[in-house]
C-alpha cells in the first residue's frame, strides 16, 4: 500500500496568498485544499483528516483564531498555522494562547513559510502514544520496553543504540551534531577523539535501512545526522557526518 501524501487545508480569501500557501504545500509533497471563508474552513476541517490547517485571521465570516477551538471540539487533530497581516507580538501571543501551533505574519518569506510548514508536518507525523510509543513513518519506538520496530519487523538494538534512536526521535527532522550525541547519549562533554559516534550511528543506520528498505538516518554532510524516515534519499546520505 502506498503512503498517501499529507493533506493541508488552507483557509484564505486572498487569492495570491492562497496560491503561495498551496505552492509551498505542494513543494513539501503535501496535498493542499483551499477554501475561502470561515464557515467553509470549519466544515472542511471537521469532515476531513488533515495534517495541518492554515487559517487566515480576517476571513469572510469570522476570525481564523476563533475557529481553532471549534475544529478541536469537532475532533480535528490537525496542527494549526495562523497567517495574518496582524503581525504584532500581541497578535501572535493571542493566536498562540487560543491554540494555534504556529503564527506567521504577512507578508511572509516563501522560505520561512516552507520551513514552518515542514516543521508542523514533522510534528504531526511523529505521534507519542500513552507516553510509551513514538511513531514516525514506519518506525515505532517503545520507550518502556526499549524496543524498535519497522512496520511489523522487530529491529534488535543494543542499549546504546536504543538511547541513540530515542535521542534522534526527540529531534526528528533536525540536524543532530556529533557533539550533541556525545553529550546527550554518551554523557561526554568533551571530544574523546574517537569514532565512537560514527560507529554506533553507522550500525544503527544499517539495521534500520535493512528493515525499512530505505534510508532512515541521513547524513547532513559536515554538520551531523538527520533522523527522518519519511525523507527522500539524498546523494550524500552514505558515509559519516564529516
Amino acid at each position: 500500500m502506498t503512503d498517501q501524501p499529507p493533506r493541508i487545508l488552507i483557509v484564505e480569501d486572498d487569492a495570491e496568498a492562497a496560491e503561495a500557501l498551496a505552492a509551498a504545500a505542494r513543494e513539501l509533497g503535501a496535498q493542499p485544499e483551499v477554501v475561502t471563508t470561515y464557515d467553509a474552513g470549519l466544515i472542511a476541517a471537521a469532515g476531513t483528516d488533515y495534517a495541518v490547517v492554515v487559517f487566515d485571521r480576517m476571513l469572510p465570516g469570522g476570525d481564523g483564531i476563533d475557529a481553532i477551538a471549534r475544529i478541536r471540539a469537532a475532533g480535528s487533530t490537525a496542527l494549526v498555522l495562523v497567517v495574518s497581516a496582524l503581525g504584532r507580538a500581541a497578535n501572535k501571543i493571542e493566536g498562540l494562547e487560543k491554540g494555534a501551533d504556529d503564527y506567521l505574519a504577512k507578508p511572509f518569506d516563501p522560505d520561512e513559510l516552507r520551513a514552518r510548514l515542514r516543521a508542523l508536518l514533522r510534528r504531526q507525523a511523529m505521534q507519542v502514544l500513552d507516553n510509551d510509543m513514538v511513531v514516525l513513518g514506519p518506525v515505532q519506538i517503545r520507550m518502556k520496553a526499549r524496543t524498535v520496530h519497522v512496520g511489523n519487523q522487530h529491529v534488535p538494538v543494543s542499549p546504546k543504540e536504543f538511547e541513540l534512536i530515542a535521542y534522534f526521535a526527540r529531534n526528528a527532522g533536525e540536524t543532530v551534531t556529533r557533539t550533541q550525541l556525545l553529550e546527550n547519549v554518551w554523557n561526554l562533554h568533551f571530544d574523546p577523539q574517537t569514532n565512537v559516534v560514527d560507529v554506533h550511528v553507522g550500525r544503527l543506520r544499517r539495521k534500520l535501512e535493512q528493515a525499512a528498505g530505505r534510508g532512515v538516518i541521513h547524513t547532513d554532510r559536515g554538520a551531523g545526522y538527520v533522523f527522518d524516515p519519511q525523507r527522500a534519499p539524498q546523494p550524500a546520505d552514505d558515509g559519516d557526518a564529516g
Side-chain angles (χ1 to χ4, degrees):
M1 179 175 137
T2 303
D3 290 337
Q4 295 297 311
R7 303 183 69 177
I8 295 180
L9 174 64
I10 298 163
V11 191
E12 171 63 78
D13 63 320
D14 179 270
E16 186 176 345
E19 177 50 38
L21 289 160
R26 287 190 290 267
E27 288 175 19
L28 296 174
Q31 178 181 335
E33 178 182 337
V34 178
V35 298
T36 58
T37 68
Y38 178 88
D39 289 337
L42 291 178
I43 293 168
T48 305
D49 186 18
Y50 292 101
V52 176
V53 176
V54 181
F55 265 110
D56 184 28
R57 288 203 57 172
M58 294 179 283
L59 289 164
D63 185 335
I65 64 169
D66 294 331
I68 300 171
R70 296 183 63 179
I71 69 170
R72 295 272 186 260
S76 174
T77 59
L79 298 179
V80 177
L81 169 64
V82 172
V83 294
S84 178
L86 302 174
R88 297 175 61 185
N91 304 128
K92 295 179 182 180
I93 291 168
E94 179 187 13
L96 295 171
E97 287 183 342
K98 288 195 173 183
D101 296 284
D102 202 354
Y103 193 112
L104 181 60
K106 293 179 179 179
F108 44 72
D109 177 79
D111 289 338
E112 182 178 6
L113 170 63
R114 283 192 296 272
R116 301 287 188 99
L117 286 175
R118 185 182 294 110
L120 290 172
L121 288 170
R122 283 172 173 155
R123 280 177 56 188
Q124 185 69 354
M126 187 173 72
Q127 308 161 32
V128 180
L129 308 176
D130 298 326
N131 295 317
D132 177 28
M133 187 164 74
V134 175
V135 179
L136 184 61
V139 180
Q140 302 171 16
I141 306 167
R142 293 189 180 274
M143 295 299 185
K144 294 176 184 175
R146 295 176 67 85
T147 58
V148 178
H149 288 76
V150 174
N152 295 322
Q153 181 178 345
H154 174 250
V155 179
V157 294
S158 70
K160 186 59 70 177
E161 288 167 353
F162 183 83
E163 292 178 36
L164 189 57
I165 194 172
Y167 184 78
F168 273 134
R170 288 193 295 272
N171 296 276
E174 304 297 328
T175 297
V176 174
T177 67
R178 186 181 282 104
T179 298
Q180 287 175 293
L181 293 173
L182 284 169
E183 291 180 352
N184 292 280
V185 178
W186 278 268
N187 198 30
L188 292 174
H189 298 277
F190 62 95
D191 189 343
Q193 300 299 315
T194 72
N195 64 348
V196 62
V197 170
D198 302 317
V199 168
H200 279 79
V201 171
R203 187 179 299 131
L204 178 62
R205 188 209 301 261
R206 287 189 292 274
K207 290 180 179 181
L208 294 171
E209 185 171 337
Q210 182 176 8
R214 59 177 295 168
V216 173
I217 300 173
H218 309 273
T219 298
D220 186 352
R221 183 69 65 184
Y225 302 97
V226 181
F227 179 79
D228 189 349
Q230 296 172 306
R231 178 172 129 182
Q234 304 293 314
D237 278 349
D238 294 330
D240 60 34

